[in-house]
Amino acid sequence: MSTEHPITPSRKQFSHQCSSGKKDPFDARHKLERVQHYRYQKETHQKTDFENTDNLFEFLGTPTFGDLADAHFSATVSRSDFLREANSMSKSIKEKYFKEPSSRLIVFKDTESKIPRGHVTDTECRPDITAAFENDFGGDDTTFWPCIRMVGGWASGGSTSENQETKAISYLHYLLLARPDLYVVQRMFASEDSMVFLVGIGGFGVRHLKIGWNDKKLSMLLYAFIYRTYDPGHFADSSYKLDPILDEDNPPTWTVTIGVTSQVGGVTTEQPVSCPNLLPLYASSPFETRTHVFATKGEGVDVDGKKLTVLKDQVCRSRNRFDEHEILELVHEPKRVPGVVEAVYHKTIELPSQLGGLGVGRVKHRHGLRQLGRPFASIPTVKEMLQVAFDLVEGSVLAVDLLTSPDGFFSVTVSEGEAKHSPSRH
């Protein structure tokens, strides 16, 4: 009888230090595969206008800030003037609404020449303006992508409006990939004569509102946008928590709390189970089937006697005829199939009701996965190695014929340079 060995990425895979060879700018060394680079697509990234300022206020769902001092802008505003005013407004919000000693101040910094660290895609893009908690900035005014609360942009004189729009949306794209804990991310894009408020909504798209600097409602909108950086409210998935960043040379990790159901005396109960030290491996399609994949850095988390080593969140249409969890359950009945991930946990998560009216109904599927096997190099005899190699070739051909789909239902966590096998097969 063979011993089961859950497959998790080896510790060496978590290093994101550059090798001595030339590094592809979109090749993240701590991940198992390359991820897609942002490419603007008009249908996917098309913006939907908020009808008016009241419509945006309703979406944000913040206080009205009638007791805070208005910010007074002239018809044209410079970047330095805006940063000074934004930091003043942030301080007023903290003093009024977040007085607890543990509350931290959010500051806006000019980061046009700074590259934030720790993005799941290793992107080197640089927001013109970055908003984050003051102590999340390092001495060089850089921070980690998962710490960014909002990004801002400033129109450049030599760029066309189409290029500026594409760039503005790209930062929403990257921020959604870096912040799996947020359903909605925020961006402000400014020029000397106007301000554009943009929100990127995971699984839905982009909405925006343009307003002049001398508009009477601009001040309240700025307060509302900044307030949501302190308290994401319905914009956030509370099951996520960013782990303390103790080592700035390694990518940030997350702790995700899942609810595991069990039967006790005929009564179904749900107990919270913490999944710590989850390293982001992959993220893609933030405005479509928003997908995030994480791997545990240790042995995994016990769920009903099985080790959860990979966590996957994906936004899908409601009532989709294909259900990844059901398919994986069928694949492993009546006997587990080596080389195919096994589902050890699944939950369907309803998205916030405030997002429901934006298009086709969508839900988030959370999958806990594991894969069993041993490193290929551990096979004791040449004969068994050849048998496993033959099965790999044979299985690859069958997979192309039988399991081809646009979303790719099956994920095999095979490390670079390694194959895995299950000794119970032979």
Side-chain angles (χ1 to χ4, degrees), residues 284-348:
S284 70
S285 307
F287 301 121
E288 299 170 289
T289 56
R290 184 185 184 187
T291 304
H292 293 269
V293 180
F294 308 84
T296 58
K297 295 180 73 172
E299 295 183 354
V301 177
D302 282 315
V303 177
D304 293 333
K306 298 179 180 179
K307 290 289 187 182
L308 183 157
T309 58
V310 174
L311 191 74
K312 174 183 176 182
D313 273 0
Q314 185 170 49
V315 174
C316 303
R317 287 187 176 90
S318 303
R319 301 176 296 278
N320 197 326
R321 61 176 293 196
F322 297 109
D323 187 313
E324 182 176 357
H325 179 73
E326 291 181 4
I327 292 173
L328 287 175
E329 289 284 306
L330 290 171
V331 166
H332 291 288
E333 289 293 338
K335 187 177 180 181
R336 288 199 303 271
V337 178
V340 179
V341 291
E342 180 183 359
V344 300
Y345 173 81
H346 175 253
K347 186 174 183 178
T348 301

